[in-house]
């Protein structure tokens, strides 16, 4: 069986944030429903082993002029809840997920590059059967966070079920991507990835600013790993996990309210609203 990667991404850059508007409580905290694991319980180094260490229950990976680092889940999944608490380092840091060109599916949480005085941009993205030939269709929604991600650990997660993808920050749903057709939704088994590498050719304002290695090494810390759900070889009766108290997975009224609030106050880009995009390639935006 061929597996294709689910990607949990990190891209780090400098920040000074003054946005103090916090979202309303979602009223439900899905991260509390899933058991935490240590890094070695569920993950292995994928590349850059000399730029990765584990101590005090936290994984640190870093980038310098010689290399970055990445890791991968031991198991592939066909649905589940995938998250980690992450703390970023302020500085000129640019990174992204490990590249996996090919006919693959991909679901991303990533921090895009920025410059001093500007807030971090958290990007969520979905690729369906993308390729490495430059014709990848991104489905980006971007947010300016309501906190400084360099000060403390915050929990970032993606819940993937056969019906929808839900992106969460500190248990607040920020985006729901429903399955409208098999052509626009990832259905094949995927792994979880995390990494840090130099993506400055495109990441910071479309490649305008490059990584400044005078400030190396650039680090990210991970802890509170969670990866729970139906593995690629789980029996057919394995029930998809839920982001809400409902077994159906439907978000509660309070969760929907919190998500609408975030999108009203912190959403800075929505691919479905971009007039420059060819929306014949993104039929999920129609209507």
């Amino acid at each position: 069986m061929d597996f294709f990667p689910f990607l949990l991404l990190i891209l780090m850059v400098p920040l000074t944030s003054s946005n103090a508007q916090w979202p309303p409580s979602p009223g439900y905290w899905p991260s509390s429903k899933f058991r935490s694991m240590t890094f070695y319980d569920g993950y292995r180094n994928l590349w850059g082993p000399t730029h990765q260490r584990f101590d005090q229950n936290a994984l640190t990976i870093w980038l310098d002029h010689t290399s970055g680092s990445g890791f991968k889940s031991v198991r592939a999944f066909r649905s589940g809840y995938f998250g980690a608490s992450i703390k970023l380092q302020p500085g000129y840091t640019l990174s992204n997920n490990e590249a996996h060109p090919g006919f693959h599916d991909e679901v991303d949480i990533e921090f895009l590059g920025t410059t001093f005085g500007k807030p971090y941009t958290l990007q969520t993205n979905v690729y369906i059967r993308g390729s490495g030939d430059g014709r990848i269709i991104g489905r980006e929604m971007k947010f300016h966070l309501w906190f400084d991600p360099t000060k403390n650990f915050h929990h970032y997660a993606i819940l993937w079920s056969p019906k929808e993808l839900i992106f969460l920050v500190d248990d607040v749903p920020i985006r729901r991507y429903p399955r409208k057709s098999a052509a626009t939704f990832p259905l094949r088994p995927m792994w979880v990835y995390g990494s840090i590498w130099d993506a400055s050719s495109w990441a910071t304002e479309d490649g305008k600013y490059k990584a400044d290695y005078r400030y190396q090494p650039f680090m990210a810390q991970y802890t509170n790993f969670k990866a729970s759900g139906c593995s690629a070889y789980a029996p057919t009766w394995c029930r998809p996990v839920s982001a809400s108290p409902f077994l159906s997975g439907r978000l509660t009224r309070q969760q929907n309210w919190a998500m609408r609030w975030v999108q009203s106050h912190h959403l800075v880009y929505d691919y479905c609203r971009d007039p420059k995009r060819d929306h014949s390639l993104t039929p999920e935006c129609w209507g």
Side-chain angles (χ1 to χ4, degrees):
M1 178 183 296
D2 292 326
F3 296 147
F4 299 84
F6 168 102
L7 302 177
L8 177 63
L9 313 181
I10 289 302
L11 192 152
M12 300 163 44
V13 283
L15 167 76
T16 57
S17 175
S18 59
N19 194 338
Q21 285 190 302
W22 287 73
S25 169
Y28 185 79
W29 293 266
S31 66
S32 68
K33 308 301 178 183
F34 303 101
R35 180 182 63 86
S36 296
M37 65 176 70
T38 68
F39 174 75
Y40 291 110
D41 284 337
Y43 298 89
R44 297 292 184 271
N45 175 264
L46 184 64
W47 61 284
T50 61
H51 289 61
Q52 179 175 308
R53 69 171 182 266
F54 185 83
D55 52 32
Q56 298 182 342
N57 296 319
L59 173 76
T60 301
I61 58 177
W62 62 91
L63 167 72
D64 60 25
H65 73 282
T66 65
S67 180
S69 185
F71 58 88
K72 175 183 176 181
S73 63
V74 175
R75 293 191 298 164
F77 296 85
R78 65 170 187 261
S79 67
Y81 176 95
F82 312 98
S85 295
I86 302 166
K87 180 180 179 182
L88 306 185
Q89 171 189 310
Y92 292 99
T93 309
L94 298 165
S95 64
N96 199 345
N97 65 297
E98 184 196 6
H100 284 270
F103 196 60
H104 67 283
D105 301 330
E106 182 176 314
V107 181
D108 302 339
I109 289 181
E110 54 196 336
F111 287 95
L112 301 184
T114 188
T115 56
F116 283 113
K118 296 182 180 180
Y120 269 92
T121 297
L122 180 85
Q123 175 170 283
T124 64
N125 206 349
V126 180
Y127 298 108
I128 310 299
R129 299 181 184 274
S131 66
D133 59 9
R135 292 180 293 178
I136 294 176
I137 300 170
R139 295 168 173 84
E140 304 92 343
M141 289 182 69
K142 302 177 184 180
F143 303 83
H144 284 166
L145 295 172
W146 50 94
F147 55 83
D148 182 342
T150 70
K151 298 299 184 184
N152 296 292
F153 283 94
H154 292 270
H155 200 74
Y156 306 88
I158 299 173
L159 188 139
W160 173 36
S161 78
K163 298 188 298 183
E164 62 189 358
L165 290 157
I166 298 174
F167 298 80
L168 305 106
V169 176
D170 288 337
D171 287 314
V172 177
I174 64 170
R175 177 184 183 181
R176 176 178 175 267
Y177 181 86
R179 175 181 174 179
K180 295 187 175 180
S181 74
T184 61
F185 194 82
L187 295 171
R188 298 175 293 177
M190 297 186 279
W191 284 281
V192 184
Y193 290 82
S195 65
I196 180 169
W197 60 282
D198 186 348
S200 57
S201 62
W202 64 269
T204 310
E205 297 186 23
D206 296 323
K208 181 178 179 180
Y209 298 100
K210 307 302 181 183
D212 189 339
Y213 285 104
R214 292 177 300 172
Y215 297 91
Q216 68 179 10
F218 311 120
M219 299 182 178
Q221 291 178 286
Y222 294 72
T223 189
N224 195 23
F225 291 92
K226 295 176 184 285
S228 180
C230 298
S231 69
Y233 297 110
T236 55
W237 47 259
C238 181
R239 177 183 287 275
V241 299
S242 173
S244 78
F246 306 126
L247 292 179
S248 65
R250 175 175 57 89
L251 295 179
T252 66
R253 180 178 299 180
Q254 193 167 346
Q255 286 177 305
N256 275 303
W257 178 39
M259 182 170 63
R260 288 194 299 270
W261 189 95
V262 169
Q263 293 184 1
S264 174
H265 290 79
H266 295 278
L267 180 67
V268 295
Y269 177 81
D270 182 348
Y271 76 105
C272 283
R273 301 177 185 176
D274 187 344
K276 298 178 182 179
R277 298 289 294 267
D278 180 359
H279 291 296
S280 67
L281 302 175
T282 55
E284 70 277 6
C285 293
W286 303 347

